[in-house]
Amino acid sequence: MLPDQTGQKIVAATTWLADLETLVTFLSEDKQTWVVLLQNNDELRAAGGFPGSYVLLNVDQGRLAEIVVEDIYDADGQFNGYVSPPAGIKEYTSANRGLRLPDANWWPDFPKSAETILRFFALGNKPHVTGLIAVNLSTAQKILSVTGPIWLPDYQVTVTDQNIGEVLRAERSEFFPGSSQKKHLLSQTLTQLKQKLTALNPDQQRQLLAFLLSEVAEKNIQVYSLQPTLQAIISRYRLAGTLGNTADWQAELTQCQCQPVWVGLVESNVGINKVNKFVTRSTKIHFDQDSTQVTTTFNNLATPPTETELSAFLAKPALQRPRNGNGYLNYYRLLISPQYELKTITVGQTNITNWDDQLLTTSLGLELRQIGVLVAVPEQQSSTVSFELTNQTELPAAVAIYKQSGLPPTKYTLSTPNFSQEFELRTDSLISL
């Protein structure tokens, strides 16, 4: 008898209270360990950014008992086995060592990456981890924009939203496995940040909450739990970082009585540098009766390395040395519904003859075709990559566009012979044609 919107709000509130009760009960049980993966999206990877460090949150019956900062290479050093690497890792990052923990967030579907990461932790003598929280550098920057600068007395440096990437960046030749300097630097930063957060006034608290909700929507905060009930709650509140979630679009899909064509573009920096903060991109997707074209233009605004930077690069071990100065080496993947088959790839004026092409299934059961190719963008230059595909179906009624974790808002143009729309991609988006 209630109006539809009132009834929906009551159902939503009831669900929220039940989920909150489940969450509180779960977190209050026994001892738990959560891994917070600190991802630097200045060095972009499929699930966010390069994970140079992580934090162990040890929870005892709902109380945060201990916070431990660790280096990703310490955990990686505990694993002596070999895991067959996926395409892209095999050719560009593994150095014949197989898949390793620092590269394990290779899958854009976050539950897949999280499962792989936690498997490495289990093999590396950390078998009792409850779940994983991935946080990108951009989230830390937004938090600092609210709290203001942090002073680190032991290092005589002020950390701001503008320089946190440089201050906390783990130069792989400076912070070796077993080194305590990196852990101490991060620990002091977290301690000072905690003090700042407890001193926020109500207006700052509201501003911080708005920022965090935005970061969740943009997948800069992603969560995974090994406990199925808790994972269902995580997914319901859009924290799971899944690829193929259409829950927010049910009304539109019911109206068009269709299933969308999925398109996703995924970047992975395999150049071992922090150049992504200087890279911009724009994408055009055009559907025609017989073919589909997906074209992205990258601009690398970084300047070539100085003589001092070149000397520092050359001083690093070979596996830790940037491969292309401040150039952007991008293993670029197109994810698209499997009825579309690749015809050609061009990078600049060059026709590419070798690429990776495989079918995959996401954690939600969505089937996709994945096409991968290496794209190089030198300093102060641009590069355009274009995928031409053949259609096996008529023009789509709707297109679902996947937004990668760690990417800033990106300019898109979506068109057909009778339709064109320009927009900025911030979250997964459904476009009705």
Side-chain angles (χ1 to χ4, degrees):
M1 298 294 292
L2 292 169
D4 287 344
Q5 289 185 348
T6 303
Q8 291 171 3
K9 289 180 180 179
I10 291 174
V11 170
T14 303
T15 302
W16 184 85
L17 288 172
D19 288 342
L20 181 62
E21 181 181 7
T22 300
L23 180 63
V24 171
T25 300
F26 178 80
L27 293 177
S28 300
E29 292 176 350
D30 303 323
K31 295 181 179 180
Q32 300 176 28
T33 298
W34 287 79
V35 173
V36 180
L37 200 65
L38 305 178
Q39 302 188 131
N40 189 342
N41 50 311
D42 283 347
E43 184 176 348
L44 195 62
R45 290 296 172 88
F50 182 81
S53 307
Y54 64 95
V55 180
L56 294 175
L57 302 180
N58 294 316
V59 180
D60 188 355
Q61 295 183 341
R63 183 179 62 88
L64 183 58
E66 186 181 28
I67 300 175
V68 181
V69 177
E70 297 285 357
D71 179 82
I72 199 72
Y73 289 105
D74 287 346
D76 183 52
Q78 302 299 312
F79 175 65
N80 297 316
Y82 180 87
V83 176
S84 180
I89 290 285
K90 179 179 180 180
E91 297 87 350
Y92 306 116
T93 73
S94 71
N96 298 319
R97 298 170 66 239
L99 179 66
R100 306 291 300 190
L101 176 58
D103 295 319
N105 62 348
W106 188 252
W107 289 267
D109 188 38
F110 185 68
K112 171 64 174 175
S113 281
E115 289 170 4
T116 306
I117 291 165
L118 293 182
R119 193 176 302 121
F120 273 107
F121 275 110
L123 294 171
N125 300 322
K126 287 185 173 62
H128 303 301
V129 174
T130 306
L132 181 72
I133 304 169
V135 180
N136 289 338
L137 174 64
S138 56
T139 300
Q141 291 170 324
K142 289 188 177 179
I143 292 173
L144 283 171
S145 73
V146 177
T147 65
I150 292 175
W151 170 247
L152 304 182
D154 289 355
Y155 297 90
Q156 294 294 294
V157 65
T158 299
V159 181
T160 71
D161 60 331
Q162 299 298 314
N163 72 359
I164 182 173
E166 286 71 27
V167 173
L168 300 184
R169 183 164 65 202
E171 293 293 352
R172 298 170 201 178
S173 59
E174 297 172 11
F175 296 124
F176 50 86
S179 168
S180 62
Q181 182 180 355
K182 177 181 175 183
K183 300 175 188 177
H184 184 265
L185 175 64
L186 286 167
S187 294
Q188 188 169 110
T189 302
L190 290 174
T191 299
Q192 298 296 326
L193 179 60
K194 183 179 177 181
Q195 293 177 4
K196 283 276 191 174
L197 290 172
T198 57
L200 293 180
N201 61 46
D203 286 342
Q204 290 174 314
Q205 292 172 2
R206 284 189 288 270
Q207 185 182 7
L208 179 61
L209 177 60
F211 276 148
L212 293 178
L213 291 174
S214 174
E215 291 296 281
V216 168
E218 296 182 18
K219 301 180 191 168
N220 290 317
I221 301 173
Q222 301 172 100
V223 185
Y224 176 80
S225 172
L226 293 169
Q227 211 280 342
T229 301
L230 189 57
Q231 180 61 19
I233 294 174
I234 290 168
S235 181
R236 187 152 47 243
Y237 294 98
R238 311 299 183 263
L239 284 159
T242 49
L243 202 171
N245 192 345
T246 61
D248 290 336
W249 308 327
Q250 287 308 305
E252 293 92 333
L253 295 176
T254 298
Q255 184 177 3
C256 74
Q257 297 183 345
C258 64
Q259 289 300 314
V261 167
W262 276 91
V263 178
L265 292 160
V266 179
E267 301 178 39
S268 294
N269 183 340
V270 294
I272 314 182
N273 59 22
K274 303 295 188 291
V275 75
N276 281 94
K277 61 184 174 181
F278 301 112
V279 176
T280 63
R281 75 279 294 149
S282 60
T283 293
K284 295 180 179 180
I285 305 171
H286 181 73
F287 290 92
D288 214 328
Q289 293 293 341
D290 301 318
S291 65
T292 294
Q293 195 160 31
V294 181
T295 302
T296 301
T297 298
F298 294 97
N299 292 287
N300 182 2
L301 304 178
T303 56
T306 64
E307 290 186 8
T308 302
E309 289 173 330
L310 283 173
S311 298
F313 290 164
L314 294 173
K316 297 179 181 182
L319 292 179
Q320 302 171 6
R321 190 180 302 156
R323 298 188 175 97
N324 199 29
N326 287 329
Y328 184 30
L329 285 180
N330 172 19
Y331 183 72
Y332 198 39
R333 281 174 273 182
L334 168 65
L335 305 175
I336 194 165
S337 297
Q339 63 267 31
Y340 293 83
E341 295 185 356
L342 184 65
K343 184 178 178 181
T344 63
I345 301 178
T346 58
V347 177
Q349 301 299 317
T350 304
N351 290 322
I352 304 301
T353 57
N354 293 310
W355 59 76
D356 302 313
D357 190 339
Q358 59 181 298
L359 297 176
L360 57 83
T361 303
T362 72
S363 58
L364 293 177
L366 176 68
E367 293 186 353
L368 293 170
R369 182 179 301 280
Q370 176 178 275
I371 301 161
V373 64
L374 187 69
V375 179
V377 192
E379 303 100 333
Q380 296 286 296
Q381 294 187 35
S382 62
S383 183
T384 298
V385 55
S386 183
F387 302 87
E388 186 177 356
L389 305 108
T390 58
N391 299 348
Q392 295 186 11
T393 59
E394 59 186 18
L395 290 175
V399 178
I401 302 180
Y402 166 82
K403 189 270 178 188
Q404 180 185 353
S405 170
L407 268 183
T410 302
K411 293 181 180 179
Y412 269 75
T413 302
L414 180 63
S415 63
T416 70
N418 301 310
F419 172 91
S420 181
Q421 181 174 336
E422 295 182 359
F423 58 96
E424 192 174 64
L425 187 71
R426 292 178 172 270
T427 65
D428 290 355
S429 299
L430 182 73
I431 308 297
S432 297
L433 304 181

